[in-house]
């Protein structure tokens, strides 16, 4: 459960940094990407909603394991998508 709390804190920190620093910079620098920035914010909202749901479950339950796997895949996909866009 300690690892879960650490991961949650790191995801929250990353979201805060992106929303306070990265997204405003990108909106100013690349105004045509406003829609993509909104999508990124929605993806973070979805991740945070999953984390809130996960907090309510017992770590020993199958539902917790499945939800944790779903979050892992979502974050992994999100990060890969961002990395691909940055490298292009």
């Amino acid at each position: 459960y300690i690892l879960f709390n650490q991961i949650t804190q790191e995801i929250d920190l990353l979201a805060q940094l992106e929303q306070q620093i990265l997204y405003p910079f990108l909106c100013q620098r690349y105004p045509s990407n406003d829609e993509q920035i909104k999508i990124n914010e929605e993806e973070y909202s979805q991740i945070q909603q999953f984390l809130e749901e996960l907090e309510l479950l017992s770590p020993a339950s199958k539902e917790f394991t499945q939800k944790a796997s779903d979050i892992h895949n979502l974050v992994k996909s999100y990060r890969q998508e961002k990395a691909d866009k940055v490298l292009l």
Side-chain angles (χ1 to χ4, degrees):
Y1 207 69
I2 293 170
L3 180 59
F4 170 74
N5 288 334
Q6 182 181 356
I7 290 169
T8 301
Q9 289 174 354
E10 289 179 11
I11 289 173
D12 287 343
L13 176 61
L14 181 59
Q16 287 176 11
L17 291 173
E18 286 189 352
Q19 291 172 349
Q20 293 173 1
I21 298 169
L22 181 62
Y23 295 155
F25 169 78
L26 291 176
C27 282
Q28 183 179 13
R29 181 87 178 204
Y30 306 102
S32 62
N33 288 339
D34 280 351
E35 189 61 34
Q36 182 60 44
I37 290 167
K38 288 178 187 174
I39 291 170
N40 289 342
E41 290 175 340
E42 290 170 7
E43 288 172 342
Y44 262 125
S45 293
Q46 184 180 15
I47 291 169
Q48 289 175 322
Q49 179 183 348
F50 280 157
L51 289 171
E52 289 170 8
E53 292 171 8
L54 195 61
E55 282 184 285
L56 302 174
L57 301 173
S58 166
S61 72
K62 289 182 182 181
E63 191 176 359
F64 182 94
T65 303
Q66 182 59 50
K67 182 79 64 184
S69 177
D70 292 345
I71 293 169
H72 170 77
N73 291 333
L74 183 62
V75 171
K76 185 177 176 182
S77 170
Y78 177 66
R79 286 284 142 223
Q80 185 59 48
E81 179 182 316
K82 279 191 155 191
D84 290 345
K85 287 180 182 178
V86 168
L87 294 175
L88 292 178

